[in-house]
Amino acid sequence: QVQLVESGGGLVQAGGSLRLSCAASGRTFSSVAMGWFRQTPGKEREFVAAIRWSTGSTYYADSVKGRFTISGDNAKNTVYLQMNSLKPEDTADYVCAATAVLRGSLVLTSAYNYWGQGTQVTVSS
């Protein structure tokens, strides 16, 4: 059983920063990539950022490029999302994802087979 547990969400004023963390656990689990998505009520899950461990390649949605940074520790199956210059439109439930096998583009939800429960980020204006 693989579990992803996020932490670090909260309420912040516009222009502020937050750092999200996600730890994956499972006796034999080893991910090849991890990512972050976000979701608001009534909308589809939206890609935010991803990291591929073997190459260190990172991927970002245009809406967060230059403000958010994804990083992590492959050996610990842990990924972080540093969010700076937050805007009210960044308000969402942020969900961590992981995959043990590379299959398709990491910007798509179909690339992942493990998901966390999410952590709420609220940015006030």
Side-chain angles (χ1 to χ4, degrees):
Q1 184 78 7
V2 176
Q3 285 189 320
L4 303 182
V5 179
E6 303 99 333
S7 61
L11 173 64
V12 64
Q13 288 188 332
S17 299
L18 281 175
R19 187 186 192 221
L20 306 183
S21 299
C22 173
S25 62
R27 192 167 60 91
T28 60
F29 180 68
S30 179
S31 65
V32 296
M34 296 183 74
W36 289 95
F37 288 74
R38 64 188 182 186
Q39 191 164 21
T40 54
K43 292 188 177 181
E44 291 191 358
R45 196 163 281 182
E46 174 192 23
F47 170 74
V48 176
I51 185 166
R52 182 176 172 180
W53 297 124
S54 63
T55 60
S57 299
T58 56
Y59 310 86
Y60 296 95
D62 288 342
S63 58
V64 307
K65 209 169 287 185
R67 300 187 297 122
F68 291 11
T69 303
I70 189 170
S71 62
D73 185 332
N74 185 15
K76 296 181 179 179
N77 277 324
T78 300
V79 67
Y80 308 100
L81 185 67
Q82 177 66 44
M83 305 186 295
N84 299 329
S85 302
L86 283 161
K87 305 175 181 179
E89 50 263 44
D90 293 319
T91 295
D93 188 37
Y94 283 71
V95 184
C96 174
T99 181
V101 178
L102 282 175
R103 48 184 185 189
S105 171
L106 291 176
V107 307
L108 301 177
T109 57
S110 57
Y112 304 87
N113 47 2
Y114 300 104
W115 295 88
Q117 294 298 308
T119 184
Q120 179 67 34
V121 171
T122 302
V123 184
S124 63
S125 56

